[in-house]
PDB file of all heavy atoms in Angstrom:
ATOM      1  N   VAL A1062      86.663  71.265 141.901  1.00 84.00           N
ATOM      2  CA  VAL A1062      85.598  70.886 142.724  1.00 84.00           C
ATOM      3  C   VAL A1062      84.312  71.580 142.317  1.00 84.00           C
ATOM      4  O   VAL A1062      84.363  72.667 141.945  1.00 84.00           O
ATOM      5  CB  VAL A1062      85.959  71.285 144.231  1.00 84.00           C
ATOM      6  CG1 VAL A1062      84.829  70.958 145.135  1.00 84.00           C
ATOM      7  CG2 VAL A1062      87.248  70.658 144.666  1.00 84.00           C
ATOM      8  N   ARG A1063      83.165  70.843 142.444  1.00 83.00           N
ATOM      9  CA  ARG A1063      81.883  71.508 142.331  1.00 83.00           C
ATOM     10  C   ARG A1063      81.079  71.150 143.590  1.00 83.00           C
ATOM     11  O   ARG A1063      80.661  70.044 143.891  1.00 83.00           O
ATOM     12  CB  ARG A1063      81.144  70.850 141.119  1.00 83.00           C
ATOM     13  CG  ARG A1063      81.671  71.325 139.762  1.00 83.00           C
ATOM     14  CD  ARG A1063      80.986  70.701 138.595  1.00 83.00           C
ATOM     15  NE  ARG A1063      81.417  71.320 137.319  1.00 83.00           N
ATOM     16  CZ  ARG A1063      81.121  70.905 136.161  1.00 83.00           C
ATOM     17  NH1 ARG A1063      80.271  69.827 136.067  1.00 83.00           N
ATOM     18  NH2 ARG A1063      81.534  71.522 135.039  1.00 83.00           N
ATOM     19  N   GLY A1064      81.017  72.165 144.467  1.00 79.00           N
ATOM     20  CA  GLY A1064      80.217  72.064 145.673  1.00 79.00           C
ATOM     21  C   GLY A1064      81.091  72.160 146.847  1.00 79.00           C
ATOM     22  O   GLY A1064      82.387  72.285 146.747  1.00 79.00           O
ATOM     23  N   GLU A1065      80.545  71.982 148.080  1.00 79.00           N
ATOM     24  CA  GLU A1065      81.279  72.209 149.340  1.00 79.00           C
ATOM     25  C   GLU A1065      82.044  70.866 149.679  1.00 79.00           C
ATOM     26  O   GLU A1065      81.699  69.714 149.357  1.00 79.00           O
ATOM     27  CB  GLU A1065      80.363  72.448 150.497  1.00 79.00           C
ATOM     28  CG  GLU A1065      79.725  73.817 150.470  1.00 79.00           C
ATOM     29  CD  GLU A1065      80.741  74.920 150.561  1.00 79.00           C
ATOM     30  OE1 GLU A1065      81.680  74.852 151.375  1.00 79.00           O
ATOM     31  OE2 GLU A1065      80.529  75.899 149.832  1.00 79.00           O
ATOM     32  N   VAL A1066      83.274  71.045 150.187  1.00 73.00           N
ATOM     33  CA  VAL A1066      84.130  69.922 150.558  1.00 73.00           C
ATOM     34  C   VAL A1066      84.322  69.961 152.104  1.00 73.00           C
ATOM     35  O   VAL A1066      84.550  70.967 152.713  1.00 73.00           O
ATOM     36  CB  VAL A1066      85.501  69.995 149.834  1.00 73.00           C
ATOM     37  CG1 VAL A1066      86.505  68.902 150.309  1.00 73.00           C
ATOM     38  CG2 VAL A1066      85.324  70.022 148.340  1.00 73.00           C
ATOM     39  N   PRO A1067      84.231  68.756 152.743  1.00 72.00           N
ATOM     40  CA  PRO A1067      84.436  68.730 154.276  1.00 72.00           C
ATOM     41  C   PRO A1067      85.801  69.348 154.673  1.00 72.00           C
ATOM     42  O   PRO A1067      86.768  69.175 153.971  1.00 72.00           O
ATOM     43  CB  PRO A1067      84.426  67.236 154.543  1.00 72.00           C
ATOM     44  CG  PRO A1067      83.595  66.691 153.399  1.00 72.00           C
ATOM     45  CD  PRO A1067      83.976  67.460 152.222  1.00 72.00           C
ATOM     46  N   ARG A1071      90.056  69.164 153.433  1.00 67.00           N
ATOM     47  CA  ARG A1071      90.876  70.360 153.123  1.00 67.00           C
ATOM     48  C   ARG A1071      92.049  70.471 154.048  1.00 67.00           C
ATOM     49  O   ARG A1071      93.126  70.943 153.551  1.00 67.00           O
ATOM     50  CB  ARG A1071      90.016  71.694 153.305  1.00 67.00           C
ATOM     51  CG  ARG A1071      88.950  71.904 152.183  1.00 67.00           C
ATOM     52  CD  ARG A1071      89.612  72.246 150.946  1.00 67.00           C
ATOM     53  NE  ARG A1071      88.604  72.577 149.950  1.00 67.00           N
ATOM     54  CZ  ARG A1071      88.804  72.657 148.629  1.00 67.00           C
ATOM     55  NH1 ARG A1071      90.062  72.209 148.217  1.00 67.00           N
ATOM     56  NH2 ARG A1071      87.902  72.972 147.716  1.00 67.00           N
ATOM     57  N   GLU A1086      87.337  75.188 143.789  1.00 86.00           N
ATOM     58  CA  GLU A1086      86.020  75.195 143.227  1.00 86.00           C
ATOM     59  C   GLU A1086      86.079  75.922 141.850  1.00 86.00           C
ATOM     60  O   GLU A1086      86.765  76.838 141.639  1.00 86.00           O
ATOM     61  CB  GLU A1086      85.021  75.944 144.211  1.00 86.00           C
ATOM     62  CG  GLU A1086      83.551  75.429 144.055  1.00 86.00           C
ATOM     63  CD  GLU A1086      82.921  76.182 142.908  1.00 86.00           C
ATOM     64  OE1 GLU A1086      83.267  77.307 142.614  1.00 86.00           O
ATOM     65  OE2 GLU A1086      82.023  75.576 142.273  1.00 86.00           O
ATOM     66  N   GLU A1132      80.382  62.231 151.310  1.00 74.00           N
ATOM     67  CA  GLU A1132      80.230  63.688 151.355  1.00 74.00           C
ATOM     68  C   GLU A1132      80.941  64.333 150.095  1.00 74.00           C
ATOM     69  O   GLU A1132      80.674  65.504 149.759  1.00 74.00           O
ATOM     70  CB  GLU A1132      80.877  64.249 152.653  1.00 74.00           C
ATOM     71  CG  GLU A1132      80.128  63.810 153.886  1.00 74.00           C
ATOM     72  CD  GLU A1132      80.713  64.581 155.054  1.00 74.00           C
ATOM     73  OE1 GLU A1132      80.647  65.882 155.003  1.00 74.00           O
ATOM     74  OE2 GLU A1132      81.210  64.007 155.915  1.00 74.00           O
ATOM     75  N   ILE A1133      81.881  63.611 149.454  1.00 74.00           N
ATOM     76  CA  ILE A1133      82.565  64.191 148.295  1.00 74.00           C
ATOM     77  C   ILE A1133      82.201  63.410 147.053  1.00 74.00           C
ATOM     78  O   ILE A1133      82.776  63.606 145.899  1.00 74.00           O
ATOM     79  CB  ILE A1133      84.070  64.179 148.529  1.00 74.00           C
ATOM     80  CG1 ILE A1133      84.552  62.795 148.681  1.00 74.00           C
ATOM     81  CG2 ILE A1133      84.374  65.058 149.681  1.00 74.00           C
ATOM     82  CD1 ILE A1133      86.171  62.759 148.765  1.00 74.00           C
ATOM     83  N   LYS A1136      81.857  65.273 143.632  1.00 78.00           N
ATOM     84  CA  LYS A1136      82.206  66.669 143.627  1.00 78.00           C
ATOM     85  C   LYS A1136      83.575  66.940 143.029  1.00 78.00           C
ATOM     86  O   LYS A1136      83.876  68.111 142.701  1.00 78.00           O
ATOM     87  CB  LYS A1136      82.227  67.135 145.179  1.00 78.00           C
ATOM     88  CG  LYS A1136      80.744  67.208 145.722  1.00 78.00           C
ATOM     89  CD  LYS A1136      80.793  67.696 147.074  1.00 78.00           C
ATOM     90  CE  LYS A1136      79.380  67.766 147.704  1.00 78.00           C
ATOM     91  NZ  LYS A1136      79.437  68.187 149.117  1.00 78.00           N
ATOM     92  N   PHE A1137      84.389  65.966 143.014  1.00 80.00           N
ATOM     93  CA  PHE A1137      85.769  66.209 142.470  1.00 80.00           C
ATOM     94  C   PHE A1137      85.712  65.580 141.089  1.00 80.00           C
ATOM     95  O   PHE A1137      85.227  64.536 140.752  1.00 80.00           O
ATOM     96  CB  PHE A1137      86.816  65.329 143.282  1.00 80.00           C
ATOM     97  CG  PHE A1137      87.117  66.077 144.623  1.00 80.00           C
ATOM     98  CD1 PHE A1137      86.390  65.736 145.696  1.00 80.00           C
ATOM     99  CD2 PHE A1137      88.098  67.049 144.643  1.00 80.00           C
ATOM    100  CE1 PHE A1137      86.713  66.280 146.923  1.00 80.00           C
ATOM    101  CE2 PHE A1137      88.358  67.700 145.917  1.00 80.00           C
ATOM    102  CZ  PHE A1137      87.658  67.282 147.043  1.00 80.00           C
TER     103      PHE A1137
END
Side-chain angles (χ1 to χ4, degrees):
V1062 180
R1063 287 179 173 173
E1065 293 296 321
V1066 176
R1071 288 289 186 200
E1086 206 278 329
E1132 295 187 59
I1133 62 175
K1136 292 182 179 179
F1137 287 92

